[in-house]
Amino acid sequence: MKQENTIMENQLFRPLDLKKKMRPGESVIQALLFIAGLGSIFITLAIVYELGKEAWLFFGNPDVTFAKFFGTTTWQPGIGHFGIWPLVTSTLITSSIAIFVSLPLGLAVALFLSEYASPKARSALKPILEILAGIPTVVYGYFALLFMTPLLQSIFGKQTVEVYNMASAGLVMGIMILPLISSMSEDALSAVPRALREGAYAMGATKFETSVQVVLPAALSGIGAALIIGISRAIGETMIVAIAAGSGPNFTFNPFKAAETMTGHIARISGGDLSYNSIDYTSLFAIALMLFLVTLILNLISQGIINKFRQRYE
Amino acid sequence: MNNINAPDIAIETKNLFIFYGSFAAVSEVNIKIEKQKVTAIIGPSGCGKSTLIRAFNRMNDFVPSSYVTGEILLQGQNLYGKNIDPVEVRRKIGMVFQKPNPFPKSIYENISWGAKINGFKGNMDELVEQSLRGAALWDEVKDKLKKSAYELSGGQQQRLCIARTIAIQPEIILMDEPASALDPISTLRIEELMQELKKNYTIIIVTHNMQQAARVSDYTAMMMLEKDGSRSGTVIEFSETKKIFTNPKDKRTEDYVTGRFG
């Protein structure tokens, strides 16, 4: 009985003590989180440093000038042609085709899944889309070369469509990005509060009017994030373009012609025998830096567009 | 030949049951709601007030497995009849929700959107101004119509929701606890607004707040769970608000309005 009392007293009548307490657990967690954050920043900086260092050597070469790099349209570093544009344009063309395919299609799929599909249809469709996301890109590459290209040739004629061409690589890349865009957009659409839909329905809106004119704008920032990731993915994609888009820089705006992208070029050149310090070797880093820059610029542009159109919701 | 004893009826329910699956959330409701009056639905939590009010504009359609038996008659037409389009029903019977839910658009577009999708062809600027004036919001927002509706305070947002509802000129406005998320001053403004609105519209309001029901409504429907333990709610008493609060017939109503409930 006596002992019980003291326990009670210890628990309930602890003397008032407002002094700072040591909480070692808190500091450990805080330190771990800080290190994790620092680590990712460090890795990014290290990559930029490494790219920059080698690219510096490339631009330090007396034959290479910025005027040539940005002002000419032939890329043959081995024989003194340093115009980056053929690689940039083919990257932009394949990526644009991919986005033109995947954004509308992905949005349509997302709208269907989040607004129209019955739970049953949704649970059948989502795994299929996820399978699409799980296909290795090398398979997509041969799909482009062996299915999409013959298909395009049968539509537009063999004279128009070359065996290796940007269009088929871009289209297949669009299919590859589709599940990414649709699943991210669907998350954004599903996160729109039910109250907003009810508000629209209560105004006498149809399902389509509600989905497209109220729910979609409310989910715009999430859809924008999906678009940005899709663009980055398209620009960075290597295997499909390396297999199907062509293997040689070619300055053309005709999507049915073969033209090598920045990533495809890096993959092909770095696969061969390269001696360090050769101009071919350092040029790869210049291309990589350029790739980094293009991605960054496009991300900033799309971020800007989204911010302009973003309509916040609670 | 208007007979004072036969008032104009805006909407009436006949032997109305509302089910969620096999569970009757609301059973056997027979009420006649008078035109251009405020009718309050009161009662304890979980007695089916919201379910009942959402049946009036077929919002329960969005709850899978919900269905209705009996009739809700608007000008003699059964809202749950065979060839009835719920979209058209909602155009005639507007709704204001518990939490303000303006659209992610500008203040102007919040009003014009509903009119546009309903085929309004007239002068949109005029309609927007009229609706905002009707909701006693015009003076506060006339200089920032292009701004996002989310920049408004909660009370202003709720009045914007009322404005967008009157912009499509419904016959009836349903209000599901429209002031429960608002501070007392905003609540007062909504209540004053309801007195203005009833000159042109029939208003049905669900409220938890009995003082509010007493202040704003002409008629009151008292809802309560059935005594048989079925967890099904029904209207146990429906009459003039004055009577409900001063001289209720049902003992349960008296207990509830005097705070002796439970």
Side-chain angles (χ1 to χ4, degrees):
Chain A
M1 201 62 192
K2 182 99 174 95
Q3 207 177 4
E4 230 170 66
N5 266 340
T6 46
I7 288 170
M8 290 277 285
E9 271 162 25
N10 281 342
Q11 284 175 343
L12 290 175
F13 303 110
R14 210 165 63 176
L16 180 66
D17 175 13
L18 302 176
K19 272 196 307 239
K20 272 191 180 166
K21 306 248 173 355
M22 290 294 288
R23 293 191 174 89
E26 289 283 318
S27 343
V28 169
I29 293 289
Q30 207 172 344
L32 282 176
L33 293 177
F34 181 73
I35 290 167
L38 206 66
S40 61
I41 294 172
F42 173 76
I43 290 167
T44 311
L45 288 179
I47 290 172
V48 173
Y49 168 76
E50 193 59 30
L51 286 180
K53 193 183 70 181
E54 301 287 343
W56 183 259
L57 287 177
F58 173 76
F59 287 112
N61 188 306
D63 292 338
V64 181
T65 61
F66 273 107
K68 272 191 190 168
F69 192 72
F70 288 111
T72 61
T73 56
T74 313
W75 179 261
Q76 288 289 347
I79 53 169
H81 295 302
F82 301 109
I84 189 72
W85 285 112
L87 298 175
V88 174
T89 51
S90 60
T91 288
L92 291 180
I93 288 168
T94 50
S95 304
S96 312
I97 294 171
I99 292 298
F100 273 114
V101 170
S102 58
L103 185 65
L105 227 60
L107 270 185
V109 171
L111 267 177
F112 175 74
L113 285 177
S114 95
E115 306 299 310
Y116 286 85
S118 64
K120 218 173 163 186
R122 191 177 312 143
S123 61
L125 248 167
K126 282 197 89 167
I128 296 176
L129 273 172
E130 273 149 27
I131 289 171
L132 215 54
I135 296 174
T137 51
V138 64
V139 176
Y140 275 119
Y142 282 99
F143 176 70
L145 189 62
L146 303 176
F147 175 82
M148 195 56 84
T149 299
L151 184 71
L152 289 176
Q153 282 179 331
S154 71
I155 296 171
F156 298 102
K158 286 199 175 183
Q159 283 77 31
T160 334
V161 183
E162 294 182 0
V163 172
Y164 296 99
N165 66 79
M166 291 185 279
S168 72
L171 289 172
V172 171
M173 213 146 75
I175 297 171
M176 179 197 76
I177 302 168
L178 176 72
L180 183 87
I181 296 212
S182 67
S183 84
M184 280 186 74
S185 305
E186 195 222 330
D187 288 345
L189 292 170
S190 306
V192 172
R194 218 179 109 102
L196 217 51
R197 291 185 181 84
E198 289 190 336
Y201 287 130
M203 302 288 294
T206 61
K207 194 154 204 173
F208 185 69
E209 287 161 344
T210 303
S211 314
V212 173
Q213 297 177 34
V214 173
V215 180
L216 198 68
L220 212 63
S221 56
I223 292 167
L227 176 66
I228 288 176
I229 290 184
I231 290 174
S232 307
R233 191 88 171 70
I235 289 175
E237 171 52 33
T238 308
M239 198 47 97
I240 296 174
V241 288
I243 292 171
S247 49
N250 182 9
F251 186 66
T252 175
F253 291 99
N254 181 349
F256 295 131
K257 290 232 180 315
E260 202 168 40
T261 66
M262 291 190 267
T263 51
H265 185 77
I266 294 174
R268 182 170 61 88
I269 299 298
S270 62
D273 307 328
L274 272 185
S275 58
Y276 293 113
N277 302 325
S278 72
I279 189 80
D280 274 327
Y281 177 78
T282 52
S283 76
L284 295 184
F285 290 88
I287 299 171
L289 198 64
M290 190 67 192
L291 197 59
F292 198 77
L293 226 75
V294 169
T295 313
L296 190 72
I297 289 168
L298 283 178
N299 279 359
L300 288 178
I301 290 173
S302 26
Q303 191 76 63
I305 293 172
I306 291 151
N307 281 344
K308 210 172 165 195
F309 286 101
R310 168 184 290 166
Q311 294 166 303
R312 288 186 311 129
Y313 62 95
E314 284 163 328
Chain B
M1 295 292 279
N2 264 346
N3 188 337
I4 204 145
N5 292 321
D8 275 347
I9 299 303
I11 196 164
E12 75 174 288
T13 69
K14 278 189 176 166
N15 204 22
L16 180 73
F17 285 73
I18 306 166
F19 292 88
Y20 293 127
S22 58
F23 165 63
V26 171
S27 48
E28 220 186 336
V29 174
N30 290 289
I31 51 177
K32 289 181 179 172
I33 286 165
E34 208 175 311
K35 257 186 192 159
Q36 292 174 19
K37 296 278 191 257
V38 176
T39 301
I41 302 175
I42 62 170
S45 295
C47 70
K49 303 185 296 292
S50 284
T51 301
L52 177 60
I53 199 174
R54 293 162 78 91
F56 285 118
N57 66 342
R58 296 196 52 168
M59 286 306 273
N60 288 330
D61 288 18
F62 299 108
V63 182
S65 88
S66 78
Y67 68 96
V68 160
T69 64
E71 292 181 324
I72 298 180
L73 296 170
L74 176 75
Q75 294 171 4
Q77 289 193 72
N78 180 11
L79 299 185
Y80 286 86
K82 264 207 178 113
N83 284 317
I84 297 294
D85 184 352
V87 170
E88 292 302 317
V89 170
R90 294 184 201 115
R91 196 212 165 303
K92 283 286 162 205
I93 304 179
M95 187 162 197
V96 176
F97 296 83
Q98 190 169 358
K99 253 188 86 194
N101 57 352
F103 301 127
K105 301 174 187 292
S106 70
I107 293 167
Y108 185 97
E109 288 168 327
N110 258 277
I111 312 288
S112 65
W113 186 74
K116 224 180 282 166
I117 59 168
N118 282 297
F120 178 76
K121 292 277 189 316
N123 185 335
M124 191 60 86
D125 291 349
E126 227 167 67
L127 179 77
V128 169
E129 179 174 344
Q130 230 175 49
S131 310
L132 286 169
R133 281 190 192 281
L137 189 58
W138 173 253
D139 291 331
E140 291 157 64
V141 302
K142 64 181 174 200
D143 298 322
K144 47 178 181 179
L145 292 174
K146 299 280 171 241
K147 290 262 173 72
S148 162
Y150 291 115
E151 288 182 16
L152 300 175
S153 73
Q156 289 173 323
Q157 288 187 9
Q158 194 63 304
R159 275 179 282 144
L160 182 66
C161 291
I162 293 173
R164 79 178 177 199
T165 302
I166 59 183
I168 59 169
Q169 282 147 15
E171 314 225 327
I172 299 171
I173 300 176
L174 309 173
M175 297 187 173
D176 190 356
E177 298 184 48
S180 66
L182 305 180
D183 63 77
I185 293 169
S186 305
T187 301
L188 185 67
R189 302 205 62 169
I190 301 276
E191 289 179 4
E192 285 168 356
L193 183 55
M194 288 168 68
Q195 298 310 311
E196 279 302 307
L197 289 173
K198 78 174 186 182
K199 291 173 187 163
N200 296 308
Y201 303 96
T202 306
I203 296 172
I204 306 176
I205 174 176
V206 163
T207 177
H208 262 123
N209 180 334
M210 271 175 296
Q211 284 86 356
Q212 184 172 57
R215 278 194 300 264
V216 301
S217 69
D218 303 294
Y219 293 91
T220 297
M222 175 70 211
M223 286 189 79
M224 199 65 92
L225 292 179
E226 300 254 42
K227 279 186 202 148
D228 59 13
S230 63
R231 310 287 308 153
S232 179
T234 192
V235 174
I236 58 165
E237 189 167 355
F238 178 52
S239 71
E240 284 170 53
T241 299
K242 228 187 296 165
K243 273 192 197 154
I244 291 273
F245 281 91
T246 56
N247 190 18
K249 281 193 204 122
D250 196 295
K251 179 77 170 65
R252 289 171 292 168
T253 308
E254 190 182 343
D255 287 349
Y256 187 77
V257 298
T258 54
R260 258 182 285 141
F261 174 74

